[in-house]
Amino acid sequence: MNVTVAGVLRLLVLVLSVVVLQLAVVGQVNVFDANADLLPLVAMSIGLLAGPVTGATVGFLLGLVADMALLQTLGVTSLLLVGVGYLAGRYRELRDATHKMVPPLGGLIATLGYAAAFSLVQFLLGVESPVSPLVIREIAVSALLNGLLAIPVFTAVRAFLRADLIDDLRPRRRPVTRLRVTT
Amino acid sequence: MYKKSVRRRRAVLALLVSLSIALLTVYFGESASGGLHAIQRGFLEVLAPLQEGANRALKPARDLVGWTGDVFDAKSENEDLRSENERLRRQVAALQTAERDARQLRALVGLNRSEGFPDGYDTVGARVIGRSPTVWYSAITIDKGSSAGVRVNQPVVSGAGLVGRVSDVSGGAARVTLITDHTSGVSAQIVPDGPNGLVKATVGNPTDLLLDFVQKGRAVRTGATVITSGWRSSRLESLFPRGIPIGQVTRVDSDERELYQRVHLRPFADLRELDVVEVLTRKPAPVENAQVTP
């Protein structure tokens, strides 16, 4: 990703808008008693589009702004989203991230990992009430919803940051390998 | 060149992880009046108007999403009717929003006037502008803060019953920890003359609360109502005044090995669909026989 002042500003606007959108809208729409979570999706999308350094940085900022806005324990969401952004960025470096199924599958896996890690951190910090098995169902439904939302979110993030991306992550066309010879 | 970029990548990762852990540690270590908490409240002060604006502007769209989900199968095939439907759908979403708000406000007024509702409290009506996205933090953000008289630990109710308590306040917004949060505990009583206990959450299941520490042998009837018990001693006083409805008993677990029986209840307030709530603020004590001393 090209590091320019405009690019950094665009990222900051993206972070702020995503958090506001998540808290004011997406977090309040219940689907099968669960809701989607844009934060891991956006961290994953940035990682896939701009690499591990930008992915981890944006993940950190997303978590920080979300924790600030929700008056939650600072650092928890940041720590986990740093992981999501970084791992998505590493995937881009090591594997073919242009496949159409990467965003939805990545969104699903990122959300599952993020939610599981979040639960683990909560257990480590201490849970003072019994935990219902419905937590697992809610995490699963959220992950499925995020898997479905990943394609539009990834497309929107790519469109928003297109000017700053070094290579646009679109499915590559296969080279023509066979020539048809006519007589 | 490659090694340099690898080193840079790892350094950034290490820096961000360290920063997160440092934030977590410092935040846990400091009191509610500490520096990080103050910065957090200041940030919320700035963000709350944005959040409120987005919440209001996109509420019809949000309701529309829910409504569309319910009537997904009822799409019209006719082109004219489809456009008519679009217009009506927008109207319905707007009306449903207004109707839902009105219903909640009517219920709030009804609750305030009901018998047994705690005396000595003023109410501050507030709109829900944010909701925690994870199942672990059961909290909402409301659009009223210290400038409207909201203070930490004040009880919050909806038209149906107890919702939670104010856990953090900034000038124009406040965070409300719901009774379904794992850190929540409310002293409660089964009415009319049932036993006392402590209402705790069941994480991940917002429709199931647990009334714990109910002594064995005390009869508990399914369907009985549970209210806040509002105890008071010479030194301490419950955060929740007596008489706020919490929920209805759904079942009782009694294990021979346990000292107490565990009573499950369904909260009266639908904590997933809150749009409007009220914060109970104490009325200022009337000044009687005020004396002016020179």
Side-chain angles (χ1 to χ4, degrees):
Chain A
M1 182 168 169
N2 293 319
V3 182
T4 59
V5 176
V8 172
L9 282 177
R10 248 192 293 275
L11 279 178
L12 290 177
V13 169
L14 179 74
V15 165
L16 204 64
S17 319
V18 166
V19 172
V20 169
L21 200 66
Q22 172 63 40
L23 301 186
V25 186
V26 180
Q28 299 194 42
V29 177
N30 276 311
V31 182
F32 303 118
D33 289 338
N35 25 50
D37 192 348
L38 294 180
L39 304 184
L41 284 187
V42 173
M44 177 208 72
S45 302
I46 300 279
L48 284 178
L49 289 165
V53 172
T54 315
T57 311
V58 170
F60 176 81
L61 289 175
L62 273 171
L64 190 68
V65 174
D67 283 342
M68 288 269 207
L70 284 160
L71 298 173
Q72 284 176 177
T73 309
L74 288 184
V76 176
T77 315
S78 302
L79 185 64
L80 301 177
L81 290 179
V82 163
V84 172
Y86 183 82
L87 290 175
R90 287 295 288 153
Y91 183 86
R92 170 201 161 95
E93 288 179 347
L94 299 172
R95 300 267 189 274
D96 177 19
T98 58
H99 195 279
K100 276 181 186 172
M101 288 308 287
V102 168
L105 282 178
L108 189 113
I109 293 165
T111 310
L112 275 178
Y114 168 73
F118 205 103
S119 304
L120 187 68
V121 171
Q122 289 307 312
F123 276 115
L124 290 175
L125 294 176
V127 179
E128 294 159 31
S129 291
V131 179
S132 163
L134 288 177
V135 168
I136 296 167
R137 198 202 66 168
E138 190 170 330
I139 289 173
V141 174
S142 287
L144 284 174
L145 286 174
N146 269 13
L148 293 174
L149 267 181
I151 297 171
V153 169
F154 181 79
T155 311
V157 171
R158 187 176 58 192
F160 189 72
L161 298 177
R162 180 160 289 159
D164 306 306
L165 297 174
I166 292 170
D167 57 336
D168 195 359
L169 208 62
R170 288 183 180 194
R172 289 170 193 142
R173 286 190 180 170
R174 287 183 180 175
V176 179
T177 52
R178 267 191 291 175
L179 290 173
R180 197 167 59 187
V181 180
T182 52
T183 53
Chain B
M1 180 69 185
Y2 175 72
K3 277 187 179 174
K4 194 180 165 191
S5 100
V6 170
R7 271 204 301 272
R8 183 171 149 260
R9 192 185 72 214
R10 287 179 182 165
V12 170
L13 180 67
L15 177 76
L16 293 173
V17 170
S18 313
L19 213 55
S20 302
I21 293 172
L23 275 173
L24 217 160
T25 313
V26 174
Y27 191 88
F28 253 101
E30 73 174 21
S31 67
S33 57
L36 282 181
H37 284 78
I39 294 171
Q40 211 176 17
R41 280 192 289 273
F43 184 79
L44 180 64
E45 196 70 20
V46 177
L47 198 70
L50 270 177
Q51 231 177 302
E52 190 181 348
N55 188 58
R56 276 176 194 268
L58 298 171
K59 191 168 190 314
R62 213 169 59 215
D63 289 346
L64 191 62
V65 171
W67 184 79
T68 309
D70 293 341
V71 292
F72 191 73
D73 298 332
K75 275 201 294 184
S76 170
E77 288 176 12
N78 184 292
E79 205 54 45
D80 292 336
L81 280 178
R82 202 173 288 170
S83 63
E84 179 73 3
N85 255 357
E86 281 296 316
R87 191 176 61 77
L88 288 173
R89 206 175 285 180
R90 278 196 295 273
Q91 272 187 5
V92 166
L95 286 171
Q96 278 182 336
T97 306
E99 196 262 336
R100 194 165 132 176
D101 282 0
R103 200 170 56 233
Q104 292 200 15
L105 288 167
R106 268 201 304 275
L108 277 174
V109 173
L111 181 74
N112 292 354
R113 289 178 183 164
S114 66
E115 271 184 47
F117 191 80
D119 288 331
Y121 281 87
D122 274 335
T123 55
V124 174
R127 189 173 284 278
V128 177
I129 57 169
R131 192 180 295 272
S132 180
T134 82
V135 68
W136 291 99
Y137 292 117
S138 200
I140 54 172
T141 311
I142 56 173
D143 67 346
K144 292 283 160 58
S146 56
S147 56
V150 175
R151 299 282 179 272
V152 170
N153 284 336
Q154 285 174 338
V156 179
V157 298
S158 74
L162 186 67
V163 165
R165 68 175 175 86
V166 177
S167 52
D168 222 320
V169 183
S170 71
R175 172 185 156 98
V176 175
T177 299
L178 302 180
I179 50 176
T180 46
D181 190 273
H182 70 93
T183 59
S184 168
V186 183
S187 53
Q189 184 187 23
I190 301 172
V191 286
D193 52 359
N196 287 299
L198 185 74
V199 171
K200 291 161 68 178
T202 308
V203 176
N205 189 356
T207 59
D208 184 35
L209 295 172
L210 199 65
L211 181 65
D212 211 349
F213 306 114
V214 175
Q215 282 187 335
K216 265 189 176 171
R218 296 293 302 266
V220 177
R221 186 171 49 84
T222 304
T225 298
V226 178
I227 61 165
T228 52
S229 62
W231 55 268
R232 182 182 292 186
S233 71
S234 58
R235 279 187 172 185
L236 294 170
E237 186 182 349
S238 168
L239 299 175
F240 303 95
R242 183 177 167 73
I244 304 175
I246 301 175
Q248 199 167 35
V249 175
T250 50
R251 71 171 203 274
V252 181
D253 290 343
S254 196
D255 189 335
E256 284 182 5
R257 291 165 297 178
E258 300 279 343
L259 197 60
Y260 301 103
Q261 52 185 334
R262 300 173 113 196
V263 180
H264 290 264
L265 48 137
R266 175 181 284 274
F268 286 129
D270 187 352
L271 300 165
R272 291 163 302 183
E273 300 288 340
L274 291 171
D275 290 320
V276 186
V277 293
E278 271 189 339
V279 184
L280 303 187
T281 58
R282 275 198 188 281
K283 278 182 186 163
V287 181
E288 290 173 9
N289 304 327
Q291 288 181 338
V292 179
T293 50

